[in-house]
Amino acid sequence: MLPPICVFQFGAPDTEVDTMAGKGGREDLLSRLKRKNFTAAVIGLGYVGLPLAMEYARAGVPVIGIDLDGDKIRMIRAGKSYIKDIPSASIRDALKAGLLRVTSDFSALAEADTVNICVPTPLNKTRDPDLSYVVNAAEQVAKYLHRDMLIVLESTTYPGTTEEILVPMFEEKGLKVGRDVFLAFSPERVDPGNARFTTRNIPKVVGGVTPKCTEMATALYTGVLEKVYPVTKARVAEMTKLLENTFRSVNIALVNEMAIMCNRMGIDVWEVIDAAKTKPFGFIPFYPGPGIGGHCIPLDPFYLSWKAKQFGLESRFIELAGVINRQMPHFVVEKVVEALNRFKKSVNGAKILILGVAYKKNIDDVRESPAIDIIDLLAKRGAKLSYCDPYVPVVVESGIQMKAETFSAAALRNADCVVVVTDHDRFNYGVIIRESKIIVDTRNALKGRNGSKIIKL
Ligand SMILES: NC(=O)c1ccc[n+]([C@@H]2O[C@H](COP(=O)([O-])OP(=O)(O)OC[C@H]3O[C@@H](n4cnc5c(N)ncnc54)[C@H](O)[C@@H]3O)[C@@H](O)[C@H]2O)c1
C-alpha cells in the first residue's frame, strides 16, 4: 500500500499549455502524472537512481532504468541488488511485475514520459565542477526528446545549471521548455544506510524552470513519494541542496577544530558535546571524526564556491571548512604516532590495523573516505597496513589496493596499533578492547569504556 501523500493545490491552469487534452486528443501529461498513467525513466542507477527507480515500481509506475555500467544492468536483470538499502527481492518483484526494465540503450527514452537524471557530479583535478556526466546524459535525452516530456535533474550541482546548461540543449531541438517540454531540478537527499529516512519519506523539494514545470514535477513525485515541497524556481531547489550540505560541512569542521583544541587542552570533546546538547534550544550536535567522505559533503560545497566566484564572491566558510576537514586524517596519524610512542615504537615498520574503511558506519561506500587518506599517510611513513571492514571486501582507490582481513581476535592481537576509523555496528567492541594492544578511536565507538589502551580523538 502507498503511504498517504501530500497534494499541493495550484492556482488557475497555466495558459501556456492546454491542460485538458494533449495533441491528437491524447490525455495530457499533467493528468496522466496525477493518475500515475505514465512511463518513467531514470538515468544513472547508483545510490540515488536505483532507489528512485524502485519507488516508481513500488507505486505501480513502469520504469526504465538506464546506466552505462553493463555490470549493474546485468546484476539487476539477474535480480541482484548492489545497493545495500535495496533488497534483491524487491528488484525481482519489480521485474516479475513488468514494472522495471533496465538497459544501456538510450533509445528506450523514446517511450518515456518522464526522465530523472541521477548521474555523478564530481569535481575535477582543480576542484571545479565536472558536469560532463550531466551533459552526456542530457545529450542522450535531447536525442529522444519529444513533446510532453518532463525531465528532472537530481544530481547535485551549482545554482543555475538547469537553466543555463539544460534549457539551451533542449530548446535547440525546437521544443520550448514550459510549453512543449518541462524541466525541473529536484535535489536528492538520500542518506545511504539510514533506515528511518529513505527516498520515499524524505520530503522532495522541486523547482521548475517555469511555474508549469514546477507543477508538472510536483505532480510526478506526489504520486510516488510521501511529501513534495515545491519552490518557485529551479535555482532555489539547486541552492537548497547546497545550503544543506554546506551547513553540514561547516558544522563538522567547527567541531573538528574544537576536537583539536580540546585535545591540546586535555579536555574530552565528546563529553563536552554530550553536555552541550542538553541545551534544549539553539544547539545542534555535530561530531568530530577522521575526516569527511562520500560523494556529497566533501564535494558539493565547492560547486557553490565555484559559482560564487562568478559573482565576485569568496565563500570563506566553505573554503575554511574544507581546509579543516582535510586536515583530520593528518590529526589521526598524529594520534597513531602518540599511541606507538607509548611502546617506544616508530610508525616505520609498525603493524597497523584499520577498522572500517567505508566513509561512514554500516555502509559499503569508500568514495572520498578519510580511511584512504589515513592508509596512504601511514603507508608513506613505512607502516605495514591491514584493514577489516565487513562491508568492503577490497579497496581499489587512489593507488591503494588492499583486501580485507577477517575480523578476529588474532588480527587484533597481531597489530601494534588498532585504529577505529569507521564505527560499524557489526564490529565487536568488547573483543576490540580485550585483544588490542592500543586503540586510536576516531569515532568515540568505545564510549563509556575508558582505559589506558584507548586514545580518543
Ligand atoms: N550517494 C549519495 O548519498 C547522494 C545523496 C544525495 C545526492 N547525491 C547526488 O546524486 C548524484 C548521483 O550520485 P550517486 O551517489 O547515485 O552516484 P553513483 O556513482 O552511485 O551512480 C551514478 C550512476 O550513473 C551512471 N552513469 C554515469 N554517467 C552516465 C550516463 N551518461 N548515462 C547513464 N548512466 C550514467 C554510473 O554508471 C552510475 O551507476 C550526484 O550528483 C550526487 O552528488 C548522492
Side-chain angles (χ1 to χ4, degrees):
M1 281 297 286
L2 258 183
I5 50 174
C6 153
V7 180
F8 285 83
Q9 296 293 325
F10 283 83
D14 198 312
T15 46
E16 283 176 317
V17 175
D18 172 12
T19 54
M20 297 309 290
K23 318 295 161 208
R26 188 167 178 245
E27 184 186 8
D28 82 339
L29 180 61
L30 185 60
S31 48
R32 285 191 293 123
L33 292 174
K34 286 182 177 168
R35 294 197 312 106
K36 290 197 275 173
N37 177 23
F38 64 97
T39 298
V42 176
I43 301 182
L45 298 173
Y47 288 94
V48 165
L50 185 61
L52 178 66
M54 296 310 297
E55 288 304 325
Y56 281 121
R58 185 195 60 89
V61 173
V63 57
I64 306 163
I66 303 180
D67 203 294
L68 294 176
D69 183 341
D71 287 340
K72 286 189 174 139
I73 298 299
R74 275 187 287 281
M75 280 188 76
I76 298 177
R77 283 185 180 155
K80 289 193 189 128
S81 177
Y82 45 80
I83 304 274
K84 210 176 139 271
D85 297 334
I86 302 291
S88 294
S90 52
I91 292 183
R92 288 196 291 274
D93 289 348
L95 291 168
K96 212 165 138 198
L99 287 169
L100 174 67
R101 265 193 301 152
V102 291
T103 178
S104 294
D105 179 358
F106 287 88
S107 69
L109 287 173
E111 294 170 50
D113 299 297
T114 68
V115 186
N116 294 89
I117 300 178
C118 307
V119 295
T121 42
L123 297 172
N124 63 21
K125 285 203 172 92
T126 52
R127 301 191 73 72
D128 292 335
D130 173 3
L131 282 184
S132 59
Y133 298 87
V134 171
V135 169
N136 289 343
E139 276 168 358
Q140 294 297 334
V141 176
K143 255 195 219 167
Y144 300 99
L145 195 67
H146 56 77
R147 217 168 266 280
D148 248 7
M149 196 181 211
L150 166 66
I151 301 102
V152 187
L153 178 61
E154 296 216 0
S155 304
T156 307
T157 184
Y158 58 79
T161 307
T162 309
E163 283 175 47
E164 293 161 15
I165 309 277
L166 300 191
V167 169
M169 290 176 76
F170 297 153
E171 293 202 334
E172 207 175 60
K173 301 281 153 185
L175 294 167
K176 178 92 185 127
V177 171
R179 186 190 65 199
D180 307 317
V181 292
F182 307 94
L183 177 59
F185 182 84
S186 177
E188 179 49 63
R189 303 155 113 183
V190 72
D191 180 22
N194 188 332
R196 185 162 165 227
F197 295 110
T198 62
T199 301
R200 190 184 314 165
N201 64 4
I202 298 171
K204 200 83 177 102
V205 171
V206 292
V209 169
T210 69
K212 188 78 208 169
C213 295
T214 306
E215 186 181 9
M216 289 285 191
T218 303
L220 168 73
Y221 292 117
T222 297
V224 177
L225 307 178
E226 283 187 21
K227 204 165 190 178
V228 186
Y229 186 90
V231 294
T232 52
K233 291 186 178 75
R235 61 185 68 216
V236 173
E238 289 162 336
M239 193 66 160
T240 302
K241 173 76 183 174
L242 295 178
L243 169 61
E244 291 165 9
N245 283 2
T246 302
F247 175 85
R248 279 192 63 72
S249 170
V250 167
N251 279 287
I252 292 169
L254 174 67
V255 81
N256 277 336
E257 192 173 64
M258 285 279 174
I260 293 170
M261 283 194 273
C262 283
N263 200 265
R264 194 67 66 84
M265 297 177 192
I267 299 167
D268 183 337
V269 70
W270 306 93
E271 194 182 349
V272 172
I273 298 165
D274 280 349
K277 75 181 190 199
T278 60
K279 187 178 177 183
F281 53 89
F283 182 80
I284 303 172
F286 282 83
Y287 297 95
I292 49 176
H295 187 17
C296 293
I297 313 290
L299 311 183
D300 300 350
F302 293 96
Y303 270 71
L304 181 54
S305 59
W306 178 85
K307 190 67 182 175
K309 284 191 194 113
Q310 294 179 3
F311 290 81
L313 293 170
E314 229 185 280
S315 36
R316 283 169 289 178
F317 271 114
I318 292 175
E319 300 297 336
L320 181 59
V323 170
I324 295 173
N325 290 331
R326 282 198 296 275
Q327 275 307 309
M328 292 314 286
H330 295 266
F331 186 58
V332 174
V333 169
E334 267 179 48
K335 296 265 113 194
V336 173
V337 171
E338 185 187 322
L340 291 170
N341 221 20
R342 291 197 187 170
F343 301 100
K344 299 189 169 51
K345 263 197 164 292
S346 65
V347 176
N348 196 346
K351 286 181 271 177
I352 296 173
L353 176 64
I354 304 289
L355 294 182
V357 291
Y359 79 86
K360 66 172 182 176
K361 72 189 299 189
N362 305 337
I363 66 160
D364 59 0
D365 193 351
V366 292
R367 290 178 298 176
E368 311 286 329
S369 173
I372 307 301
D373 291 331
I374 293 167
I375 289 172
D376 185 48
L377 290 169
L378 288 169
K380 282 187 177 135
R381 284 163 177 73
K384 292 184 184 136
L385 287 137
S386 53
Y387 83 90
C388 297
D389 192 313
Y391 300 102
V392 186
V394 285
V395 169
V396 186
E397 281 281 315
S398 319
I400 292 169
Q401 288 202 17
M402 289 173 80
K403 232 176 119 191
E405 225 178 276
T406 310
F407 180 87
S408 67
L412 294 162
R413 269 200 303 270
N414 188 38
D416 295 312
C417 177
V418 170
V419 188
V420 180
V421 176
T422 315
D423 50 341
H424 293 309
D425 291 336
R426 279 169 63 185
F427 286 135
N428 184 332
Y429 292 98
V431 174
I432 292 171
I433 297 209
R434 200 180 63 226
E435 303 294 341
S436 308
K437 291 188 187 77
I438 194 151
I439 308 150
V440 173
D441 179 6
T442 71
R443 302 278 189 177
N444 205 22
L446 305 173
K447 188 177 178 177
R449 308 185 204 223
N450 288 328
S452 58
K453 273 186 178 184
I454 305 167
I455 296 188
K456 288 190 197 174
L457 203 66

